[in-house]
Amino acid sequence: MKRTNLIKATLVAGLAGAALSTGSAAAQEAPAFDFAVETVSLQTTRDVARVYARLSDEAASYCGSLIQQGYETTGALSLCQSDVVDVVVQRIGDAQLSRYHDQVQSRSARPYATALN
């Protein structure tokens, strides 16, 4: 089983760089995000989609709890979720999961791209 443990400070370095660089106590004490996946769970496209959906759900729950505990602001929710998923996918290092993640990101960016034209 591949287990990915991530500390919140690692996840939101891009979001809250100023707070982290000043050594903010809240950023340093935030709970870790823990996600476990078995390699066999990434064999088929359906399995990858299922794991990705679970990761997205757990990231949303984790980021929501950071807001409730005062570690993040409500405005940072979507950025937090995105950072959590990005880092976990990268750390798992599975090619199929990475491709699926890229596809999901590209699909979700398209509606905004057309609005900018």
Side-chain angles (χ1 to χ4, degrees):
M1 179 178 300
K2 181 120 183 182
R3 183 173 290 276
T4 301
N5 297 309
L6 303 171
I7 298 172
K8 185 239 181 198
T10 301
L11 295 173
V12 296
L15 282 178
L20 296 176
S21 65
T22 61
S24 128
Q28 292 174 358
E29 296 172 9
F33 177 79
D34 186 48
F35 185 79
V37 63
E38 295 182 38
T39 311
V40 357
S41 298
L42 299 169
Q43 299 301 313
T44 69
T45 303
R46 180 180 284 168
D47 293 339
V48 169
R50 205 172 291 133
V51 166
Y52 192 85
R54 182 170 61 91
L55 170 58
S56 296
D57 289 346
E58 289 183 26
S61 177
Y62 171 76
C63 292
S65 73
L66 292 180
I67 290 168
Q68 289 177 340
Q69 296 171 37
Y71 292 108
E72 283 296 344
T73 64
T74 305
L77 180 61
S78 65
L79 292 173
C80 175
Q81 289 173 256
S82 177
D83 280 357
V84 170
V85 173
D86 286 346
V87 171
V88 172
V89 167
Q90 180 183 20
R91 289 203 181 170
I92 289 173
D94 180 80
Q96 279 188 322
L97 183 62
S98 293
R99 276 192 303 276
Y100 188 86
H101 176 60
D102 291 344
Q103 290 171 354
V104 168
Q105 286 188 317
S106 125
R107 278 193 306 258
S108 64
R110 283 188 193 134
Y112 302 106
T114 57
L116 297 173
N117 290 331

